[in-house]
Amino acid sequence: MSLKERIQQVERRIQAACERSGRRREDVSVVAVTKYVSLETTGLLLDEGIVHIGENRPQNAVPKWEALEGRGVWHFIGHLQSNKVKDVIGKFQYIHSLDRLSLAKELEKRAAAQGITVSAFLQVNVSGEASKHGVRPEEAADLLREIASYSHVRIIGLMTMAPIEDDPEQTRPVFRGLRELRDRLNAQQITKEPLTELSMGMSGDFEVAIEEGATWVRLGTLLVGKGEET
């Protein structure tokens, strides 16, 4: 299947998921996960109209970003070490993996130095898996309060990763849990602006995530082919 055909297939599935759940198609955005994809393929995705590019390792992403001269909107979707923040600030408009205060402080410092604001998702470990990064749901409010005064880090929503399941339906409680947590946090009015975004859903479960309110889905395999996303 060609890249164009894969994109068209994904689009049909997103449309159907939106229709099933009574949502507007324009409220769901796709981040193409290109972490195991060549520079050439990343460029082809951009040529095909995919705007949002997701990478999880600075050492792999920055050379692509430079070669593509900053084309597209770049999302950092992997675990971010504080000592790597200097490499991603100014290149990645979105950070999907803010999971601790020390990282927030480094993002604030580096963004302030460049006079920019970075949009970030608070990563929450809804499933409770030891292998997953993210704050526990009950810790989210306290961390948001700590970050609320920052001027250069804007928390726009929450992110989670569901367990890998043979039946995508099994992931529904995780995605529903993130949406319900967001709504509870908004009711507490902790952040300067309401949290509007939910980054959740990958190639195996994105339709369920959309049905539960995802506004960003992170797709690798379906867009770039099998064997190119873990």
Side-chain angles (χ1 to χ4, degrees):
M1 187 181 295
S2 69
L3 181 62
K4 183 185 289 288
E5 288 169 334
R6 285 197 292 267
I7 292 171
Q8 291 171 341
Q9 182 186 71
V10 166
E11 177 60 31
R12 287 192 295 270
R13 291 174 65 180
I14 292 174
Q15 288 273 11
C18 288
E19 289 172 8
R20 286 194 300 272
S21 51
R23 300 187 62 202
R24 300 184 306 170
R25 170 63 187 89
E26 57 264 33
D27 291 338
V28 180
S29 298
V30 173
V31 178
V33 178
T34 57
K35 59 185 179 181
Y36 295 126
V37 172
S38 66
L39 169 63
E40 179 185 10
T41 301
T42 305
L44 289 173
L45 282 164
L46 292 164
D47 292 342
E48 289 290 343
I50 297 294
V51 175
H52 299 280
I53 302 297
E55 287 275 344
N56 74 330
R57 292 189 180 93
Q59 63 268 32
N60 296 336
V62 171
K64 286 184 192 174
W65 183 90
E66 292 172 344
L68 292 165
E69 299 179 331
R71 287 177 63 201
V73 176
W74 290 64
H75 298 243
F76 193 86
I77 60 174
H79 182 65
L80 182 56
Q81 297 174 318
S82 295
N83 65 354
K84 298 293 185 182
V85 168
K86 64 183 184 300
D87 299 322
V88 304
I89 283 291
K91 299 177 177 67
F92 290 81
Q93 291 94 321
Y94 293 88
I95 307 294
H96 287 240
S97 49
L98 176 54
D99 61 356
R100 60 199 186 279
L101 184 59
S102 59
L103 177 58
K105 287 180 176 177
E106 187 67 15
L107 287 167
E108 174 73 10
K109 182 179 81 172
R110 297 286 180 175
Q114 293 192 26
I116 61 175
T117 299
V118 62
S119 295
F121 297 81
L122 185 68
Q123 183 171 355
V124 183
N125 186 355
V126 177
S127 69
E129 289 180 282
S131 60
K132 297 281 195 296
H133 292 288
V135 301
R136 297 197 303 267
E138 60 270 24
E139 298 171 334
D142 286 343
L143 184 52
L144 287 174
R145 288 189 185 95
E146 294 276 4
I147 302 171
S149 62
Y150 289 10
S151 301
H152 300 276
V153 176
R154 178 172 171 250
I155 306 296
I156 60 172
L158 307 179
M159 182 274 245
T160 201
M161 298 178 68
I164 303 299
E165 302 281 3
D166 292 333
D167 178 8
E169 188 63 31
Q170 298 299 311
T171 63
R172 190 177 297 276
V174 172
F175 299 139
R176 182 174 294 161
L178 193 72
R179 172 170 52 82
E180 291 174 345
L181 175 62
R182 180 199 61 183
D183 294 346
R184 290 196 301 274
L185 293 168
N186 281 337
Q188 296 178 57
Q189 298 182 329
I190 298 169
T191 51
K192 295 174 186 175
E193 301 171 5
L195 303 172
T196 58
E197 307 303 313
L198 293 173
S199 172
M200 58 188 194
M202 298 170 65
S203 291
D205 53 25
F206 72 99
E207 289 151 306
V208 175
I210 290 171
E211 290 170 4
E212 291 299 330
T215 60
W216 297 89
V217 292
R218 309 179 302 271
L219 304 180
T221 304
L222 292 180
L223 290 176
V224 303
K226 292 183 179 179
E228 294 194 86
E229 178 195 51
T230 57

